[in-house]
Amino acid sequence: AQTVTQSQPEMSVQEAETVTLSCTYDTSESNYYLFWYKQPPSRQMILVIRQEAYKQQNATENRFSVNFQKAAKSFSLKISDSQLGDTAMYFCAFKGGSEKLVFGKGTKLTVNP
Amino acid sequence: DADVTQTPRNRITKTGKRIMLECSQTKGHDRMYWYRQDPGLGLRLIYYSFDVKDINKGEISDGYSVSRQAQAKFSLSLESAIPNQTALYFCATSDGQGAGNQPQHFGDGTRLSIL
């Protein structure tokens, strides 16, 4: 079974700075998809960014980018120019051939003014 | 209006009661999911359905049942609620006809407290 590990339960960053959230996963599959979801205090689950394993190019969405290292099974999220509205729980998720999402336990990010 | 609607938003009930959480969607997706979120544990899959006639157990299905009444509706039942089922419950949908990178779309969650 696939597992997703987020090794940082909590992180903090100053407004306007850059922060990187870590995610590693374990799978024997070669074709899969990876996602980062954001859960602000409003408790909604919001898709931040996604990556296909067969693509070598790292995905980017505005201030959010990933560092995808397939051999190392690592999928970190970088947030540039952090904003107060980025304060949230961030979940890394894996989807393989079973079509089910497997989530990590989350990282609580606080952006300080 | 929200694309994925969960009712109720919050619910407090007593041990032993039967509870139904409802989910409806206007996205036209064929796939629907129920998750449970507990602090420090992330989201765990309870049940999922890839179409109206297809229901599958997830990681933590014991104590729960589901019904897919229509493509747009997927309800979760707790037959006899117990306190350790206190959690935040999410419904999600996805498009099975799309590419594999199609994300799941989540409702706003139901916070359930069992006393």
Side-chain angles (χ1 to χ4, degrees), chain B residues 11-22:
Chain B
R11 177 81 183 269
I12 300 173
T13 191
K14 295 182 179 180
T15 298
K17 294 290 187 181
R18 184 179 187 274
I19 301 160
M20 180 180 287
L21 308 184
E22 298 190 7

Side-chain angles (χ1 to χ4, degrees), chain A residues 37 39 43 50 52 95, chain B residues 9 37 100-101 104 108-109:
Chain A
Y37 280 87
Q39 186 181 41
R43 85 190 195 198
R50 56 185 137 174
E52 294 89 342
K95 185 174 79 167
Chain B
R9 183 167 172 80
Q37 184 182 6
N101 68 349
Q104 292 186 9
D108 288 345

Side-chain angles (χ1 to χ4, degrees), chain B residues 60-77:
Chain B
I60 52 165
S61 59
D62 287 350
Y64 301 94
S65 62
V66 291
S67 174
R68 186 84 183 264
Q69 300 95 325
Q71 187 188 37
K73 296 183 182 294
F74 192 38
S75 59
L76 175 72
S77 294

Side-chain angles (χ1 to χ4, degrees), chain A residues 6 32-35 37 39 41-47 50-52 54-55 89 91 95-106, chain B residues 8-10 31 33 35 37 40-45 48 50 57-58 88 90 94 99-111:
Chain A
Q6 294 180 247
Y32 49 86
Y33 305 89
L34 296 161
F35 304 85
Y37 280 87
Q39 186 181 41
S42 65
R43 85 190 195 198
Q44 294 172 301
M45 290 289 289
I46 302 165
L47 177 70
R50 56 185 137 174
Q51 174 81 41
E52 294 89 342
Y54 61 84
K55 288 187 177 179
M89 285 289 293
F91 293 97
K95 185 174 79 167
S98 71
E99 296 292 322
K100 295 182 289 184
L101 269 183
V102 177
F103 286 87
K105 295 182 179 181
Chain B
R9 183 167 172 80
N10 300 288
R31 299 181 175 189
Y33 310 81
Y35 292 91
Q37 184 182 6
L41 295 180
L43 278 76
R44 293 180 292 166
L45 184 63
Y48 62 103
F50 283 177
K57 292 182 177 181
L88 181 58
F90 282 102
S94 68
N101 68 349
Q102 293 301 306
Q104 292 186 9
H105 300 263
F106 288 80
D108 288 345
T110 293
R111 186 169 296 284

Side-chain angles (χ1 to χ4, degrees), chain A residues 3-76:
Chain A
T3 58
V4 177
T5 301
Q6 294 180 247
S7 59
Q8 305 148 315
E10 293 191 37
M11 295 189 71
S12 63
V13 64
Q14 292 300 120
E15 198 174 5
E17 293 186 349
T18 295
V19 63
T20 299
L21 309 183
S22 300
C23 173
T24 58
Y25 56 93
D26 185 24
T27 185
S28 58
E29 299 184 43
S30 58
N31 191 28
Y32 49 86
Y33 305 89
L34 296 161
F35 304 85
W36 278 98
Y37 280 87
K38 168 184 177 181
Q39 186 181 41
S42 65
R43 85 190 195 198
Q44 294 172 301
M45 290 289 289
I46 302 165
L47 177 70
V48 175
I49 200 166
R50 56 185 137 174
Q51 174 81 41
E52 294 89 342
Y54 61 84
K55 288 187 177 179
Q56 292 187 335
Q57 186 173 5
N58 289 323
T60 299
E61 290 286 345
N62 300 314
R63 298 183 294 107
F64 299 88
S65 61
V66 298
N67 183 2
F68 173 49
Q69 301 289 329
K70 190 172 184 179
K73 297 180 182 176
S74 172
F75 183 59
S76 61

